[in-house]
């Protein structure tokens, strides 16, 4: 019987040293890879390539057509979404230098309203191409220039008639006739009225960045300057006759005039303070100042006081030109008050719905 031999050991045994070397190399590679990773992380994030740095931005193309002929005037391209109508006007001015931004009127539709400068172009876009209609608004002037010019004229014109220039009145007749005290008082009140307007224009009222056509300023100056010349000519004439009821009529009318001037000023200050503080959630309420209590009855007390000033001036001087001017001013003030009252009804309905526009109790 053959004895079964024990199986011999395999020829290729794993060498412990070799295995250890292999494990050592694998461990070293892992450590090297770990060190390399830490080095990359410590160096910061890898910067993306320039091609990936800029995201894709969609630009708009604004086509500007003439509102009358519908002919294309120019195309303003590469308009960013964050641009406003004013930005488009500036780019349009670069393409067409004869039309500066304040002279450009842009409409979304031919018969539509003019777009405000603060409107975003993105809000008008239906596609990447926006069509706007251009209207030449004519030569423009700022609101501050408008009011300063309109109010400075009456102040200077009245003073020219008050000193009785030889080119206006006969000097011999001017020296003979004695001036009634109401003539001096009327000059003081008239100058006070327009000086208040000028100071409020400079320091109280806050006008928008908008403009108005030059023709509007010419019409306003013609109205105020023309009536001032007519009024001043009669009041300062050497043959001017004082009011019928004498000193009492003049005194009461002058007191009413000064109260209306003070009330108008305090109302304008209250409205300006409301605008500056940014509190637009409620209608202006009366304060401890009695002149602001008119807010309880009317929504536009500044127009009420303005009309009261001219009515008082009419009673104080008792002249026909002043009466006609006061009548026209009451009509104009009532129209402005009605327009402003409608805006107040939209914004402050609960507070304004029981108020009159300008004259108390009359709605």
């Amino acid at each position: 019987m053959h004895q079964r031999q024990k199986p011999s050991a395999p020829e290729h045994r794993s060498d412990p040293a070799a295995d250890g070397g292999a494990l050592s190399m694998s461990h070293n590679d892992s450590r090297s890879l770990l060190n390399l990773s830490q080095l990359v992380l410590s160096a910061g994030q890898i910067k993306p390539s320039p091609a990936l740095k800029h995201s894709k931005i969609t630009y708009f193309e604004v086509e500007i057509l003439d509102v009358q002929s519908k002919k294309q005037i120019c195309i303003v391209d590469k308009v960013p979404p964050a641009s406003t109508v004013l930005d488009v006007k500036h780019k349009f001015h670069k393409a067409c230098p004869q039309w500066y931004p304040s002279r450009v009127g842009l409409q979304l539709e031919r018969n539509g309203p003019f777009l405000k400068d603060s409107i975003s172009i993105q809000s008008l876009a239906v596609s990447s191409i926006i069509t706007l209609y251009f209207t030449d608004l004519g030569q423009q002037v700022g609101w501050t220039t408008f009011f300063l010019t309109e109010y400075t004229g009456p102040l200077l014109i009245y003073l020219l008639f008050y000193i009785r220039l030889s080119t206006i009145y006969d000097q011999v007749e001017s020296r003979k006739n004695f001036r009634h005290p109401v003539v001096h008082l009327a000059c003081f009140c008239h100058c006070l009225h327009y000086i208040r307007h000028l100071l409020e224009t400079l320091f109280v009222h806050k006008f928008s960045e908008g403009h108005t056509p030059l023709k509007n300023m010419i019409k306003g100056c013609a109205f105020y300057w023309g009536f001032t010349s007519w009024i001043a000519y009669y009041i300062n004439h050497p043959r001017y006759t004082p009011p019928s009821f004498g000193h009492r009529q003049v005194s009461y009318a002058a007191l009413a005039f000064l109260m209306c001037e003070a009330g108008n000023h305090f109302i304008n200050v209250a409205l300006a303070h409301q605008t500056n503080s940014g509190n637009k959630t409620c209608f202006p309420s009366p304060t401890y100042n009695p002149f602001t209590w008119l807010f309880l009855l009317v929504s536009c007390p500044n127009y009420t006081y303005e009309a009261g000033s001219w009515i008082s001036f009419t009673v104080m001087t008792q002249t026909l030109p002043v009466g006609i001017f006061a009548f026209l001013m009451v009509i104009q003030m009532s129209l402005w008050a009605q327009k402003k009252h409608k805006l107040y009804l939209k914004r402050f309905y609960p507070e304004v719905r029981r108020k009159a526009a300008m004259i108390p109790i009359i709605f």
Side-chain angles (χ1 to χ4, degrees), residues 179-220:
R179 291 199 190 191
H180 194 275
V182 70
V183 176
H184 304 292
L185 182 61
C187 180
F188 170 78
C189 291
H190 191 276
C191 293
L192 177 66
H193 178 78
Y194 284 101
I195 288 174
R196 178 184 62 81
H197 272 303
L198 290 172
L199 293 178
E200 288 178 352
T201 300
L202 294 173
F203 304 108
V204 177
H205 297 301
K206 302 297 179 182
F207 302 104
S208 62
E209 297 297 329
H211 297 75
T212 185
L214 178 63
K215 60 181 181 181
N216 290 347
M217 188 179 76
I218 294 175
K219 290 190 295 185

Side-chain angles (χ1 to χ4, degrees), residues 131-145:
T131 301
L132 299 178
Y133 295 94
F134 161 74
T135 300
D136 183 8
L137 300 178
Q139 191 171 355
Q140 304 286 302
V141 293
W143 284 110
T144 302
T145 304

Side-chain angles (χ1 to χ4, degrees), residues 193-261:
H193 178 78
Y194 284 101
I195 288 174
R196 178 184 62 81
H197 272 303
L198 290 172
L199 293 178
E200 288 178 352
T201 300
L202 294 173
F203 304 108
V204 177
H205 297 301
K206 302 297 179 182
F207 302 104
S208 62
E209 297 297 329
H211 297 75
T212 185
L214 178 63
K215 60 181 181 181
N216 290 347
M217 188 179 76
I218 294 175
K219 290 190 295 185
C221 290
F223 176 78
Y224 280 98
W225 295 15
F227 262 104
T228 299
S229 301
W230 192 22
I231 291 170
Y233 176 81
Y234 273 87
I235 296 177
N236 296 286
H237 198 280
R239 296 183 182 181
Y240 168 75
T241 55
S244 303
F245 296 96
H247 179 72
R248 181 176 297 179
Q249 177 180 343
V250 173
S251 301
Y252 288 157
L255 180 62
F257 177 87
L258 295 176
M259 290 180 64
C260 288
E261 287 295 304

